[in-house]
């Protein structure tokens, strides 16, 4: 039966390293506070005018090379991001132009930290149906240019980093394939993690007053987000395993969205999954939202932590609220 598999992976982080010590020079925070609460030691931030599609380009080229394909072989680009290069058109269109493949379908996904999980499930469905053969699935974010780098924004700013990850998803009849995806959302909780401006629901969309109030910076009710994350992450992982007549013990490698190392550790503890079956990168990347799963997956594969036949679970939780998981037989 036709399905889809990940045929190639790529990832890209900007060169500039921003340590916790660097942040403590610009706002009232400390390396100790950040590491204790989040596990983050450093993150990468872009320099100059660099958009999400600029970071996505080298990641995509590497994923195509690993898959043994040219950009012209692609049927569609699905681009997950909460930090699109511009208001419109979507970053998938901009990446398509940079890859030099006019004409193929493009789709942007706006599901924040769960963006890559949703994007992979959409690619899987297009391929399963027989409509398409090769789809580039990208998660890429430039957070740094949209953060409040002052004490007012410290709770949010210390968490986020820039980066990109990409997967070429191709049709297969083999055993190695995406087995299932579980997807959820709860829009009634939108205000616990959101970016309020510019907004079509405000007239004008952006004003000096709104800038002064910092509405163009993300706002987060940190402890509410934490509580929801440690509830939904384990539940959706169990759901996708049970739906496929498996249990959490059958997971060979869990790639959780890199929200916060404390969240990943609590999820692991509640599922009985230790560091030997979980891959984290947040210590060095910060939370790169839609990019975090493909970056961590690529790293885990490069480190030899995932073997043929392993059951790999990608799981995410984030703003929306949105949460979900993909189960893959590698
Ligand atoms: N450095 C130093 N102090 C900080 C700080 C920082 N970067 N950010 C906040 N603080 C202060 C607060 O102002 C507060 O001070 P007060 O007690 O004098 O008011 C104190 O630290 C505790 O703040 P609190 O928000 O209760 O801390 P916390 O233990 O909940 O940790 C988070 C804050 C953000 C690390 C934590 O809530 C969290 O990780 N939430 C989930 C965030 C997340 O994963 N988001 C992405 C979802 S995909």
């Amino acid at each position: 039966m036709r399905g889809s598999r990940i045929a190639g992976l790529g990832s890209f982080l900007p060169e500039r390293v921003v340590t916790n010590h660097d942040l403590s020079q610009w706002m009232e925070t400390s390396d100790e506070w950040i590491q204790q609460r989040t596990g983050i030691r450093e993150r990468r931030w872009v320099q100059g005018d660099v958009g999400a599609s600029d970071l996505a380009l080298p990641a995509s080229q590497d994923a195509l090379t690993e898959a043994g394909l040219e950009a012209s072989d692609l049927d569609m680009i699905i681009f997950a991001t909460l930090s699109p290069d511009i208001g419109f058109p979507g970053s998938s269109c901009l990446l398509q132009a940079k890859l030099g493949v006019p004409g193929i379908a493009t789709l942007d996904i706006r599901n924040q930290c769960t963006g890559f999980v949703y994007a992979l499930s959409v690619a899987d469905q297009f391929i399963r149906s027989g409509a398409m053969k090769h789809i580039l699935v990208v998660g890429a974010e430039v957070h740094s240019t949209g953060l409040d780098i002052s004490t007012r924004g410290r709770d949010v700013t210390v968490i986020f980093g820039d980066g990109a990850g990409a997967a070429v998803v191709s049709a297969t009849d083999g055993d190695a394939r995406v087995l299932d995806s579980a997807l959820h959302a709860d829009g009634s909780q939108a205000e616990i993690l959101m970016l309020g401006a510019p907004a079509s629901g405000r007239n004008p969309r952006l004003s000096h007053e709104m800038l002064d109030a910092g509405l163009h910076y993300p706002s987060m009710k940190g402890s509410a987000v934490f509580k929801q994350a440690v509830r939904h992450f384990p539940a959706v992982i169990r759901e996708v395993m049970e739906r496929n007549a498996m249990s959490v013990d059958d997971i060979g490698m869990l790639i959780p969205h890199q929200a916060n190392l404390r969240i990943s550790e609590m999820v692991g503890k509640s599922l009985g999954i230790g560091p030997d079956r979980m891959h984290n990168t947040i210590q060095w990347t910060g939370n790169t939202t839609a990019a975090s799963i493909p970056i961590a997956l690529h790293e885990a594969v490069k480190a030899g932590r995932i073997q043929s036949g392993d059951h790999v679970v990608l799981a995410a939780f984030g703003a929306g609220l949105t949460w979900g998981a993909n189960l893959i037989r590698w």
Side-chain angles (χ1 to χ4, degrees), residues 63-124:
L64 282 162
T65 302
E66 194 175 287
L69 296 174
E70 304 284 338
S72 55
D73 295 315
L74 294 171
D75 298 307
M76 176 155 70
I77 297 170
I78 306 180
F79 199 125
T81 187
L82 65 66
S83 52
D85 300 61
I86 50 179
F88 70 83
S91 292
S92 57
C93 285
L94 305 183
L95 178 62
Q96 186 227 47
K98 286 173 183 156
L99 286 168
V101 284
I104 67 166
T106 62
L107 175 66
D108 271 42
I109 298 233
R110 296 290 303 273
N111 280 44
Q112 301 67 249
C113 301
T114 319
F116 189 83
V117 167
Y118 268 79
L120 180 59
S121 81
V122 173
D124 180 46

Side-chain angles (χ1 to χ4, degrees), residues 29 33 37 113 154-155 158 220 222-223 257 260 263 287 317:
T29 190
W33 193 96
R37 302 296 215 289
C113 301
R154 64 183 178 175
D155 57 327
V158 300
M220 180 176 76
S223 61
H257 159 56
N260 177 322
I263 292 177
N287 178 342
F317 166 87

Side-chain angles (χ1 to χ4, degrees), residues 23 27-34 36-39 82 112-114 150-160 192-193 220-227 229 233 257-263 282 287 289 316-319 321-322:
L23 292 177
M27 61 188 77
E28 285 171 31
T29 190
S30 65
D31 179 48
E32 192 193 0
W33 193 96
I34 299 169
Q36 206 175 60
R37 302 296 215 289
T38 70
L82 65 66
Q112 301 67 249
C113 301
T114 319
S150 75
T151 298
R152 178 177 70 170
R154 64 183 178 175
D155 57 327
V156 173
T157 299
V158 300
I159 293 177
F160 292 103
I192 70 170
L193 183 51
M220 180 176 76
K221 293 180 179 147
S223 61
V225 172
F226 200 103
K227 277 184 204 139
F233 254 117
H257 159 56
Q258 300 293 293
N260 177 322
L261 194 59
R262 299 286 96 83
I263 292 177
I282 191 166
N287 178 342
T289 315
F317 166 87
L321 300 177
T322 54

